Amino acid sequence: MEYTYYLANASLTLRVVEHLLGTPRLPFMFMTVIHQIDGWVIRIKMNDAITPSDAEDFRAYMNELGVAYDPGIRVRMALWGLENGQSPIDVMRRYQVAIVSHGTPDREEIEAFRRQFVMGLGYCPETLA
């Protein structure tokens, strides 16, 4: 099972990370976080061992936070490259996307990205709130 969602801001993205890490019955393989100028794209790939009930509960949770997302070709190719073992740096260069995190969900990577982005701009845009 795979879930690709668009979220409006960093706080919602962090809530998803906390939910995944705090719910041991959700057997995720990896989570990819991409920042776009107008929001965040997250992709979560689950092991096939997830029960239908847990899958529906997780889908309902994600629908409360964001919207299911069908990425464009550039983001789709970036996600494919990451899943197939390409380094995030190579993928960012090739497809011009800002990969914040890939692998085990990591709150610190998202927080560090947010801090650096805000420091560089001098203000906090809505998507980083």
Side-chain angles (χ1 to χ4, degrees):
M1 296 227 112
E2 157 178 333
Y3 303 86
T4 305
Y5 275 78
Y6 174 85
L7 304 175
N9 59 46
S11 297
L12 295 173
T13 304
L14 291 168
R15 284 181 61 188
V16 173
V17 169
E18 290 169 5
H19 183 74
L20 283 173
L21 295 175
T23 311
R25 71 179 186 276
L26 292 176
F28 65 89
M29 293 171 62
F30 64 83
M31 177 178 176
T32 303
V33 178
I34 295 175
H35 178 258
Q36 296 185 318
I37 202 72
D38 59 348
W40 298 74
V41 175
I42 62 167
R43 177 179 180 222
I44 300 154
K45 186 146 186 184
M46 300 281 188
N47 289 330
D48 291 332
I50 190 169
T51 67
S53 173
D54 285 342
E56 283 304 311
D57 288 348
F58 185 68
R59 182 173 282 112
Y61 176 78
M62 292 302 297
N63 286 333
E64 288 179 12
L65 299 180
V67 294
Y69 184 69
D70 183 22
I73 188 69
R74 198 169 40 126
V75 172
R76 193 175 306 140
M77 292 302 294
L79 292 169
W80 178 84
L82 290 169
E83 184 173 358
N84 286 297
Q86 294 177 20
S87 79
I89 299 294
D90 289 342
V91 171
M92 284 192 284
R93 283 188 189 134
R94 182 173 294 123
Y95 300 108
Q96 300 295 303
V97 296
I99 298 165
V100 177
S101 177
H102 176 71
T104 301
D106 188 350
R107 180 181 182 87
E108 281 304 310
E109 286 179 343
I110 297 166
E111 291 283 4
F113 176 85
R114 179 168 37 175
R115 277 192 305 274
Q116 287 179 329
F117 203 98
V118 168
M119 192 169 67
L121 285 176
Y123 72 97
C124 184
E126 200 174 309
T127 62
L128 295 173

